Amino acid sequence: MSAPATTAVGTGRAGPRRWAWARPARRTAAVLAALAVWQLLAQFRVNLWLRFSQFPTVTETAHAFARRLGTAAYWQDVSDSVTRIVGGFALAAILGVAVGTAVARSPLAFDLLGPLLEVLRPIPAIALVPVAILLFPSNEQGIVFITFAAAFFPVTVSTRHAVRALTPVWEEAVRTMGGGRWRVLWSVVLPGALPGILGGLSVGIGVSWICVISAEMISGEYGVGYRTWQDYTIVDYPGVFVGMATIGLLGRLTSTAVERLGRRATRWLPRTADDPSGSTGGRVRWRVARTAIGEPS
């Protein structure tokens, strides 16, 4: 009686594996279709409501991209932009998690920092360019500051909400076993809030790219944003699209890196059925609770 059930279950699990190539194929097809539409609209200079008469074609952009890849200036621009992102984002991640946790758990920190954060948070980071020019002795430091400001508030807000959403049962268990404030912080608060923190980091890295490119266009001397704007001013439209493609690829790579690091840090979380990282699902609460009270997991 049990054999048919096992076969059915096995068939149900094998199906998604057998067709595992379908989703990557659909995604690739979607990208290729978009490129084909772009090629046709630009090649035939279609002008309806949108004007494609001055758009470079996909092939022109690809040729320009290939030429840029062979120049030292291109890689210098990429290096400068990535360095600014890494410096500003790392600082925002550290301070954002610290401030968000403090505001969520300390009434004193909330009273001192909460009103100030709520006033500053709606200000777009790119609007801080004049402030950065006045504050910092070099444009490089100012751009890193703008990148930091762009990521800091998403990380802080997500951390604050994640910490406040934690169930008090785990903390009470640790305190009952004699654990102090730091034990609660490292064994309960940060592990429990980690999924929410990672969400803020994922949002923050995307916003950081938007702002660092804008800052480079306004006050930079090097970088992908600066080069893209220079190409626009000299009417090098294929170069503009090369810059846009570079920004998209760099943004994708950095956001993927953040997501992969987050998955490694939260291997104990349950995953969806189509998540390739797998899961040990239901053990999350049990493992956190046992670690919090000092027992081996």
Side-chain angles (χ1 to χ4, degrees), residues 8-261:
V9 173
T11 303
R13 292 176 62 86
R17 294 178 183 176
R18 184 180 306 169
W19 299 99
W21 54 269
R23 295 190 67 188
R26 286 199 302 266
R27 295 170 183 175
T28 303
V31 173
L32 293 177
L35 292 176
V37 171
W38 171 10
Q39 175 71 24
L40 292 174
L41 291 175
Q43 182 175 351
F44 292 101
R45 308 302 181 191
V46 176
N47 282 325
L48 298 175
W49 180 60
L50 298 175
R51 300 172 297 175
F52 294 91
S53 57
Q54 296 185 356
F55 261 47
T57 63
V58 176
T59 53
E60 291 172 345
T61 304
H63 291 157
F65 208 155
R67 288 194 300 270
R68 290 285 179 93
L69 289 175
T71 64
Y74 175 83
W75 295 108
Q76 181 65 46
D77 290 333
V78 169
S79 175
D80 289 338
S81 294
V82 171
T83 300
R84 291 161 178 167
I85 280 287
V86 171
F89 180 74
L91 186 61
I94 295 171
L95 292 182
V97 171
V99 172
T101 303
V103 169
R105 293 188 57 83
S106 171
L108 177 61
F110 179 79
D111 292 339
L112 294 178
L113 299 177
L116 183 61
L117 293 175
E118 291 303 316
V119 170
L120 295 177
R121 184 164 63 93
I123 301 175
I126 196 62
L128 299 176
V129 169
V131 177
I133 294 174
L134 293 174
L135 281 178
F136 295 95
S138 69
N139 288 342
E140 186 68 24
Q141 296 171 352
I143 293 174
V144 172
F145 166 73
I146 292 168
T147 306
F148 157 78
F152 173 76
F153 290 104
V155 176
T156 301
V157 172
S158 64
T159 302
R160 183 184 66 186
H161 288 303
V163 171
R164 286 181 175 176
L166 292 176
T167 175
V169 175
W170 296 344
E171 180 175 348
E172 293 170 359
V174 174
R175 293 192 180 279
T176 300
M177 299 297 294
R181 178 179 301 176
W182 289 105
R183 182 68 173 177
V184 170
L185 178 65
W186 291 108
S187 298
V188 175
V189 174
L190 292 180
L194 190 55
I197 294 172
L198 292 172
L201 293 174
S202 181
V203 173
I205 191 68
V207 179
S208 293
W209 271 111
I210 295 173
C211 291
V212 74
I213 295 300
S214 301
E216 288 175 348
M217 289 182 174
I218 296 173
S219 62
E221 297 178 358
Y222 303 99
V224 178
Y226 169 80
R227 193 67 56 189
T228 302
W229 183 252
Q230 289 297 109
D231 289 334
Y232 174 75
T233 59
I234 62 175
V235 200
D236 182 5
Y237 295 134
V240 172
F241 279 81
V242 169
M244 293 169 59
T246 302
I247 295 165
L249 291 173
L250 291 175
R252 177 61 177 172
L253 289 174
T254 52
S255 63
T256 300
V258 171
E259 291 175 2
R260 289 188 177 275
L261 289 174

